Amino acid sequence: MTEPVVLPDFSSFGEQAIKGLDNPEEATAATQALLKEAQNSGEPEIGAPGETFLTLERGICREGAWYREAEVKELNGADEEAIAAAGTDSYKVFETLLLRGVVTVGNEPMSRKVAAELLIGDREYLVMAIRRATFGDDIEFEQLPCPHCEELVDLTVPLGAIPFTRLENPEQTEFEVPLRGGDTAVVRLPTGEDQAAVLAIKGDNLAKKDSEILGRCILRIHRADGSESTRPPATSLGMSARKTVLQFLTDTQPGPRYTDFTFTHETCGKEVELPINLASLFRGM
Ligand SMILES: [Zn+2]
């Protein structure tokens, strides 16, 4: 008998780890739900079930050129054992999924280095593709109690129904974020490497985690008076500026929004939140 794999929520290593501000509990609390009708807020380029090729939003840069094509594979028993061996550390589990399930990014074989370079959203999109290659396109939920009317609902959520955010320009690597008082922060979007640095901070000090991501992702600040500071310490920023930048990083990060999935329950007509987590994607592993 092997212990079942404890798969973490996306919220424990995805956008919530960066956001850290608004309702950190929210995403995980609402798992008691169901659905009927999927809502689309984007159109991920997902192919048919079993499809193993995808186009990332950002990809990797080599000698000035961006490579966005990626290939994933169906996970097998050896992969399942490797993922189980990663234990309960959410980052390790996620990283193992990527290293085992992604074959290539651009022309390069998957590696820790490539995984660290990828945007968080591309990493989450790759996990979606691995899920499709392994278990197909539909996520099945059974006997979920509607939080509004308590009816039990069986629900099938196609991966394409999960909200998906796109980059307007995949090759834009720096973004200007207007701050109060006329300052402008120039930022980049967080990658797997940034995520690992945040997760390496032990404890529940979200402000410290926010400082880490801000210190990494704010490249410079143009002041209203014409001066500029390069890589300002995040602790020197006002709370309003910190919040504005964190929100921008969260909103702009491309890829699937697993925790934003909702549907309308036909019987009661109410909107139901059903955050999708790794456990719902890889049930049966
Ligand atoms: Zn209902």
Side-chain angles (χ1 to χ4, degrees), residues 49-258:
E51 176 65 68
T52 53
F53 292 93
L54 69 157
T55 303
L56 300 174
E57 285 292 303
R58 169 67 62 74
I60 56 173
C61 188
R62 293 294 177 267
E63 292 168 4
W66 288 94
Y67 297 89
R68 298 167 61 210
E69 303 307 316
E71 182 183 1
V72 298
K73 71 173 186 77
E74 178 183 351
L75 297 175
N76 59 28
D79 301 322
E80 189 178 344
E81 284 184 18
I83 290 160
T88 56
D89 179 321
S90 59
Y91 185 78
K92 252 182 161 172
V93 170
F94 195 81
E95 194 75 1
T96 307
L97 259 176
L98 283 177
L99 293 172
R100 305 288 304 206
V102 179
V103 182
T104 52
V105 176
N107 294 322
E108 288 187 28
M110 188 53 164
S111 64
R112 283 186 193 283
K113 177 177 174 289
V114 169
E117 281 177 66
L118 292 170
L119 288 184
I120 290 173
D122 274 344
R123 291 160 58 92
E124 296 191 346
Y125 188 21
L126 284 164
V127 162
M128 176 182 272
I130 295 165
R131 198 285 178 185
R132 181 180 321 102
T134 305
F135 294 117
D137 196 51
D138 289 340
I139 313 169
E140 310 280 350
F141 293 90
E142 286 177 3
Q143 301 284 295
L144 283 165
C146 173
H148 303 292
C149 68
E150 289 173 17
E151 187 181 76
L152 297 179
V153 180
D154 292 343
L155 171 72
T156 300
V157 181
L159 292 175
I162 294 170
F164 195 96
T165 299
R166 316 215 68 127
L167 283 178
E168 271 175 41
N169 173 4
E171 299 190 2
Q172 181 182 355
T173 54
E174 294 189 5
F175 301 82
E176 294 195 344
V177 185
L179 304 176
R180 221 170 49 180
D183 295 352
T184 303
V186 179
V187 305
R188 64 169 180 80
L189 297 177
T191 62
E193 185 176 17
D194 301 318
Q195 194 173 29
V198 170
L199 291 170
I201 298 171
K202 300 294 170 209
D204 298 327
N205 191 335
L206 283 179
K208 211 169 167 185
K209 296 182 185 193
D210 288 348
S211 294
E212 179 70 25
I213 207 83
L214 290 167
R216 292 171 151 267
C217 292
I218 298 179
L219 304 172
R220 48 194 184 273
I221 290 187
H222 300 302
R223 307 281 178 196
D225 64 10
S227 65
E228 182 179 298
S229 34
T230 303
R231 307 210 74 104
T235 45
S236 71
L237 295 175
M239 283 180 71
S240 156
R242 285 166 61 96
K243 183 163 175 147
T244 301
V245 173
L246 287 166
Q247 196 63 54
F248 177 89
L249 297 178
T250 302
D251 293 345
T252 311
Q253 180 73 237
R257 301 290 205 216
Y258 294 106

